[in-house]
Amino acid sequence: MNLRVSNRGEAMPASPIRKLVPYAEAAKKRGTKVYHLNIGQPDIETPAAVLDAVRHSDFKVLEYSHSAGNESYRRKLVSYYESVGVHVNHQQIIITTGGSEAILFGFMACLDPGDEVIIPEPFYANYNGFAVAAGVNVVPVTSHIENGFALPPIADFEKVITPKTKAIVICNPNNPTGYLYSKAELESLKEIVLKHNLYLFSDEAYREFSYTGELMSVMHLQGADDHLVVMDTISKRYSACGARLGALVTKNQAVLDAVMKFAQARLSPPSFAQIAGEAAIDLPADYFTGAKEEYQRRRDLLVRRLNAMEGVYCPNPGGAFYAMAKLPIDDSDKFCQWLLESFEHNGQTVMLAPATGFYGTPGLGKQEVRLAYVLNLEAIDKAMDCLEAALKVYPGKQ
Amino acid sequence: MNLRVSNRGEAMPASPIRKLVPYAEAAKKRGTKVYHLNIGQPDIETPAAVLDAVRHSDFKVLEYSHSAGNESYRRKLVSYYESVGVHVNHQQIIITTGGSEAILFGFMACLDPGDEVIIPEPFYANYNGFAVAAGVNVVPVTSHIENGFALPPIADFEKVITPKTKAIVICNPNNPTGYLYSKAELESLKEIVLKHNLYLFSDEAYREFSYTGELMSVMHLQGADDHLVVMDTISKRYSACGARLGALVTKNQAVLDAVMKFAQARLSPPSFAQIAGEAAIDLPADYFTGAKEEYQRRRDLLVRRLNAMEGVYCPNPGGAFYAMAKLPIDDSDKFCQWLLESFEHNGQTVMLAPATGFYGTPGLGKQEVRLAYVLNLEAIDKAMDCLEAALKVYPGKQ
């Protein structure tokens, strides 16, 4: 009799993006250049000062840090949060191994198996994975490309709230839609979490990349402190994805106490990364201006090119570095695979993320793809040439 | 109405060692020097070549790595494992964020909520934490200080096996006991996991620190490949605890596939650490000889001093860098707190880990403490002076 993996291990979703990787690898082996608009790995250089802090570090023993992260780093983060209008002390910040661990810790500490979290869809696919790990059920409420993926009406949330509902999860600015929630939308979320006594988890990985409005955090909301938990990361902010450094931020002491126990079990977050993270706080204030302007130019080009294609619609994203586009196709999974397997344009093709993986409701997203504008303008332009040519010859065109 | 944390968050055990930290901090504030024999943070320097590899690294973007870890690192690890008689290929190794994540991934991928794992006690306290995170129940079988914490008789395992039992967890060489399982003991574990179709999880964090016998891995066992899962880490091996770099190693393809999905959800292990880990494989073969000799000298001193104290018994540990000692005291938790709160010897005291935190059976370990010989010989000698003096005046002496 064979040993079985757990039901949880079987239920764990495979990455909807990474399943296309073998096709991309095969395309490259054939000599086709692949423009990667499929993942959020920015090409922007990690600030030299951040890498240099690690390179110039001077210690003899690579020790465990405090389970909550080095106090010196947490104290510096207090000033960073001040700079974005979030007033917390260093004991309200627990350093995590990437934003990923902040999400996992939040789910683990606040939710029990069988509990439900409501998430506006399309949403970051890995929330599904952390939900399975924590035994939690994701209940999607659908946002729509027609209004740029604005927050669904509060009535849609009310409809799916049950006694098992414990939290609402948002990502702001949003991955995958690029939508930037307005102050009014966040206020309406506050009302609903207060009314139903829910947590509001806010993944703010892309906080600085806001193009159309002011930079917002759920922590700006007044009178709901105990309900608010921010999941944060330096990955995108400083183009430092490989550091694996994030933070869970809340004023809810019971949540901090519970999260701390999960943090102690895994001993500490990575030490090199904390040196990098600490140096990042000292970057000049205009650092984000440069990075943001670059992303905005890319967004403008990408959105313009997409909307100029026949039958394509792409709402202008207000933040992050993602755009969702509706394409005149039968099935985005098939189309994205076909782009890698059966198509090339002057020896080039483009890798996109099928939107189906970002929806919790089966069947949605079949005509949508996510594009991450993490390549330079020239590469984006060429990638759009590929997509435009592809849509003219794709057999499943509609 | 207040928001509640999850039942899981409440059930999560606080670190039994770290709860003494405030008392140690208070002692230091009073000017008392504290010898830390309480945690496995070695004072041995991280090899310069390992740190230098990071310091001399030359890249522009700190990118995500492959979710299973860099292929170059995994390929080099194949040669490391060859050198310890473990024959695996790079696809049978998944790089994790510390050994901690390897344990969590193993539990998550192989065990469902309500399943049981059998662990010889005393055991590494954080297994409790990962078990709570995974919803798994730990069933202890007791090993005894009288025979040096040898593997309990197989009959003791048979007695507690139920239809819910899915795995046995061992740590070899053992933390907290320092016991090194013999080939015969591992063979008897193999028979039982084959007979009852269980996984055998082996935490081999201290593999190189074996003083009395040959270096053993469960992967040396023949004919049980699908049952064997190794949780590994570079933390102790190269005195690089802060790197947070480990590995899960198994030949069971279904387990690899399931673990890979958990690995994808958290994107990647830390990139700086993987540079360090790769450099560590190139250390000269005699690196471990020096480190091991140093630990052995410390062990010899510690064990000799302990056994020379009246009413104290400390079996000679065969591996790792821990020793368990039985003391003539009423309650190890009270004693360890008293050492920090109410005692000093020439302005010095010692911090030990009460063994109660390492037992799953309530009430056990009340006369035992764990000592980590991670300080130099002079410090260990002075720490033993403190302990000897303390045992003469401790009010709860028995």
Side-chain angles (χ1 to χ4, degrees), chain A residues 290-360:
Chain A
K292 213 163 77 174
E293 284 171 0
E294 173 62 20
Y295 281 125
Q296 195 161 351
R297 280 190 293 270
R298 295 173 178 192
R299 178 197 68 159
D300 293 346
L301 172 64
L302 183 85
V303 174
R304 183 169 56 73
R305 288 290 315 261
L306 284 165
N307 284 317
M309 296 177 203
E310 201 187 325
V312 173
Y313 174 63
C314 176
N316 198 25
F321 42 63
Y322 302 101
M324 288 276 278
K326 189 169 181 180
L327 308 181
I329 54 172
D330 56 343
D331 183 313
S332 52
D333 285 276
K334 279 190 206 163
F335 177 64
C336 293
Q337 185 177 328
W338 175 87
L339 280 172
L340 297 167
E341 214 179 10
S342 313
F343 174 78
E344 55 129 322
H345 174 69
N346 300 333
Q348 306 185 332
T349 191
V350 58
M351 187 167 175
L352 307 172
T356 49
F358 303 115
Y359 283 89

Side-chain angles (χ1 to χ4, degrees), chain A residues 185-202:
Chain A
E185 286 172 320
L186 294 183
E187 288 290 344
S188 68
L189 283 170
K190 181 181 91 175
E191 294 311 317
I192 201 167
V193 298
L194 287 174
K195 180 175 167 192
H196 296 276
N197 207 35
L198 310 176
Y199 291 104
L200 178 56
F201 295 143
S202 184

Side-chain angles (χ1 to χ4, degrees), chain A residues 1-15 18 39-47 50-51 54-67 97 100-101 104 107-113 115 124 126 129-130 132-136 166 193 197-199 226-228 235-236 239-244 252 254-255 258 261-273 276, chain B residues 1-15 18 39-47 50-51 54-67 97 100-101 104 107-113 115 124 126 129-130 132-136 166 193 197-199 226-228 235-236 239-244 252 254-255 258 261-273 276:
Chain A
M1 185 170 96
N2 274 334
L3 281 168
R4 283 192 60 252
V5 299
S6 61
N7 297 325
R8 167 169 48 206
E10 278 179 6
M12 191 73 184
S15 162
R18 298 203 182 209
I39 54 164
Q41 169 59 63
D43 67 331
I44 302 245
E45 289 186 6
T46 312
V50 170
L51 297 177
V54 174
R55 289 173 181 148
H56 300 155
S57 63
D58 181 26
F59 57 82
K60 299 282 187 194
V61 186
L62 184 59
E63 294 184 325
Y64 291 121
S65 74
H66 192 291
S67 294
T97 305
S100 302
E101 193 181 62
L104 181 66
F107 281 15
M108 285 278 180
C110 299
L111 310 166
D112 277 309
D115 283 349
Y124 178 54
N126 286 323
F130 299 120
V132 170
V136 167
K166 294 289 160 60
V193 298
N197 207 35
L198 310 176
Y199 291 104
D226 275 353
H227 299 256
L228 308 176
S235 289
K236 318 292 174 167
S239 202
C241 300
R244 310 314 300 130
N252 183 319
V255 172
K261 293 188 284 183
F262 290 92
Q264 286 180 346
R266 62 74 164 121
L267 305 171
S268 69
S271 294
F272 284 123
Chain B
M1 184 170 96
N2 275 332
L3 280 170
R4 285 192 60 250
V5 300
S6 60
N7 296 326
R8 168 169 47 205
E10 278 178 5
M12 191 73 184
S15 162
R18 297 205 182 208
I39 52 163
Q41 170 58 63
D43 68 331
I44 301 243
E45 289 186 7
T46 312
V50 170
L51 297 176
V54 174
R55 289 175 181 145
H56 301 153
S57 64
D58 180 27
F59 56 83
K60 300 282 187 196
V61 186
L62 184 59
E63 294 185 323
Y64 291 120
S65 74
H66 191 290
S67 293
T97 305
S100 303
E101 193 181 60
L104 182 66
F107 281 15
M108 285 278 179
C110 299
L111 310 166
D112 276 309
D115 283 349
Y124 177 55
N126 285 325
F130 299 119
V132 170
V136 167
K166 294 288 160 60
V193 299
N197 208 33
L198 311 175
Y199 291 105
D226 275 353
H227 299 257
L228 307 176
S235 290
K236 318 292 172 167
S239 203
C241 300
R244 312 312 300 127
N252 182 319
V255 172
K261 293 188 284 182
F262 290 92
Q264 286 180 345
R266 61 75 163 119
L267 304 172
S268 71
S271 294
F272 284 124

Side-chain angles (χ1 to χ4, degrees), chain B residues 12 35 42 58 108-109 119 143-144 166 196 209 223 243 276 284 356 372 390:
Chain B
M12 191 73 184
Y35 291 104
D58 180 27
M108 285 278 179
I119 316 185
S143 67
H144 300 277
K166 294 288 160 60
H196 295 278
F209 306 116
T356 49

Side-chain angles (χ1 to χ4, degrees), chain B residues 219-378:
Chain B
M219 297 293 272
H220 297 161
L221 296 170
Q222 300 294 315
D225 282 355
D226 275 353
H227 299 257
L228 307 176
V229 181
V230 166
M231 283 78 165
D232 211 344
T233 170
I234 71 162
S235 290
K236 318 292 172 167
R237 187 170 302 147
Y238 307 112
S239 203
C241 300
R244 312 312 300 127
L245 197 68
L248 183 141
V249 185
T250 183
K251 294 184 183 179
N252 182 319
Q253 189 59 46
V255 172
L256 288 165
D257 291 345
V259 167
M260 201 46 210
K261 293 188 284 182
F262 290 92
Q264 286 180 345
R266 61 75 163 119
L267 304 172
S268 71
S271 294
F272 284 124
Q274 291 183 74
I275 297 170
E278 212 169 312
I281 316 263
D282 293 328
L283 287 171
D286 63 356
Y287 167 72
F288 292 116
T289 316
K292 212 161 80 173
E293 283 171 359
E294 173 61 22
Y295 281 125
Q296 195 161 351
R297 281 191 292 271
R298 296 172 178 191
R299 178 197 70 160
D300 293 346
L301 172 65
L302 182 87
V303 173
R304 182 169 57 73
R305 288 290 316 261
L306 284 165
N307 283 318
M309 296 177 202
E310 200 186 324
V312 173
Y313 174 62
C314 177
N316 197 26
F321 42 63
Y322 303 101
M324 288 277 278
K326 189 168 181 180
L327 307 180
I329 55 172
D330 58 342
D331 183 311
S332 53
D333 285 277
K334 280 190 205 160
F335 177 65
C336 293
Q337 185 177 329
W338 174 86
L339 280 172
L340 297 167
E341 211 176 12
S342 312
F343 173 79
E344 54 127 325
H345 173 68
N346 302 332
Q348 306 185 331
T349 192
V350 58
M351 185 166 178
L352 307 172
T356 49
F358 302 115
Y359 284 89
T361 305
L364 293 188
K366 273 184 172 282
Q367 292 201 301
E368 296 168 14
V369 293
R370 186 193 71 176
L371 306 96
Y373 40 100
V374 291
L375 302 183
N376 64 38
L377 289 167
E378 193 190 338

